[in-house]
Amino acid sequence: MSKTDIRVMQKFIDTLVGTPRFSYPAKKNVPRPEGEFAHVQLLEEYQESIPANFIHSQTDEVTVFRTQSLARLRFRIGIVETNGVASTRIMHGWTSEAIKALMMETGYGFIRAFPVSLEDAKLEKRWEERQAIAVEMYVTRTFEETVDNITKLFISGNFIEADTVH
């Protein structure tokens, strides 16, 4: 789980809502925005496929192996809003052309979005209205490993002749 995943999801949320810097990372010591906003938290990452290993490049001295694996990411988007427009756009706007272009640019793909709970019902009445949406995305994780090739092999030993037993 990385900060890159959070930043990418922030781009998606800000694009869906149509407001720059509408979202920010959850559980960080940053000043809370005034008015409507959303916070983004990466909850879980699952491996969705058997990793694929292949030789990426090779020289006489080294071989570079590349491993690719599909990951499913589950985010929690907490939304503080007044009229419900932001949460509706986040829940239903994933097929817009701007979001499709962002998916092509970032390499992240949308799986599904669903409500988590009506959070304002759990809080005291003095709190602002809140919604929470879980968003599942996929991305391909890629790792490389450089391995030294065997360039020389020295074999030595003694030959012992023995009687054969039948």
Side-chain angles (χ1 to χ4, degrees):
M1 297 186 213
S2 72
K3 293 179 183 179
T4 302
D5 298 325
I6 297 291
R7 284 193 294 273
V8 168
M9 181 52 73
Q10 284 182 263
K11 284 184 187 178
F12 280 110
I13 298 303
D14 295 351
T15 302
L16 283 164
V17 175
T19 304
R21 299 183 183 210
F22 182 81
S23 62
Y24 70 96
K27 298 185 178 184
K28 302 290 179 198
N29 290 329
V30 295
R32 196 170 100 168
E34 293 294 323
E36 296 185 335
F37 63 90
H39 65 267
V40 177
Q41 181 179 8
L42 179 57
L43 297 177
E44 298 170 317
E45 178 173 339
Y46 303 96
Q47 180 180 331
E48 285 290 319
S49 65
I50 296 172
N53 298 313
F54 57 93
I55 295 174
H56 175 64
S57 63
Q58 191 169 27
T59 66
D60 289 339
E61 290 80 32
V62 297
T63 301
V64 178
F65 291 94
R66 183 172 280 176
T67 302
Q68 293 183 326
S69 180
L70 186 64
R72 178 187 295 241
L73 308 173
R74 188 165 66 91
F75 294 90
R76 181 184 173 284
I77 314 301
I79 308 157
V80 175
E81 60 186 339
T82 55
N83 58 14
V85 173
S87 59
T88 300
R89 287 182 177 172
I90 293 169
M91 184 69 100
H92 300 284
W94 292 92
T95 57
S96 73
E97 293 304 315
I99 294 299
K100 289 177 190 176
L102 196 53
M103 286 184 207
M104 295 296 290
E105 175 189 327
T106 62
Y108 287 70
F110 174 73
I111 298 172
R112 67 182 182 144
F114 53 95
V116 174
S117 66
L118 188 58
E119 290 191 343
D120 59 346
K122 297 177 185 177
L123 301 171
E124 298 177 25
K125 293 181 181 183
R126 295 183 296 254
W127 287 72
E128 65 273 345
E129 291 188 30
R130 295 173 178 241
Q131 295 291 334
I133 296 174
V135 176
E136 291 185 359
M137 304 288 283
Y138 64 85
V139 67
T140 300
R141 300 288 195 210
T142 303
F143 308 97
E144 288 188 356
E145 177 184 23
T146 302
V147 178
D148 293 332
N149 293 337
I150 297 173
T151 57
K152 294 180 182 177
L153 189 60
F154 297 101
I155 300 174
S156 64
N158 296 324
F159 182 73
I160 299 175
E161 191 172 327
D163 291 336
T164 307
V165 178
H166 294 271

